[in-house]
């Protein structure tokens, strides 16, 4: 893939090319984009889902050529964030919390 505009065109979403360019989003950061990032760019929900699937497919197609490790699943990230938050609370506040 040569550039982000070509990738968006292949997805049938070339209307977002200017927004990506304005925000300096290129192929090197594409895999880092989150749903919130795309929402902030003004990408509508259905297109966000399609883009995220296409990004995931890129990761699968790239195989071992990806230089950055894939982030842990959302459930795992949430659990870690909750544990970090609970670790900051005084012991009396934590004792009433239940773990999931």
């Amino acid at each position: 893939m040569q550039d982000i505009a070509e990738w968006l065109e292949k997805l049938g979403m070339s209307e977002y090319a200017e927004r990506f360019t304005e925000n300096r989003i290129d192929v090197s950061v594409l895999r880092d984009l989150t749903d919130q990032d795309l929402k902030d760019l003004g990408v509508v929900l259905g297109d966000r889902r399609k883009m995220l699937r296409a990004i995931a497919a890129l990761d699968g197609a790239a195989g071992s050529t990806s230089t950055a490790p894939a982030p842990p699943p959302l459930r795992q990230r949430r659990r870690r964030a909750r544990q970090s938050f609970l670790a900051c609370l005084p012991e009396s506040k934590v004792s009433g919390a239940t773990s999931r």
Side-chain angles (χ1 to χ4, degrees), residues 31-34 59 68-74 76-77 80:
R31 288 176 177 86
D32 299 326
L33 293 178
T34 65
D59 286 341
L74 181 59
Q76 188 177 5
R77 291 192 312 261
R80 287 180 186 165

Side-chain angles (χ1 to χ4, degrees), residues 17-29:
E18 188 173 334
R19 294 178 200 180
F20 277 62
T21 301
E22 288 169 354
N23 287 276
R24 296 186 183 174
I25 296 170
D26 59 20
V27 177
S28 70
V29 298

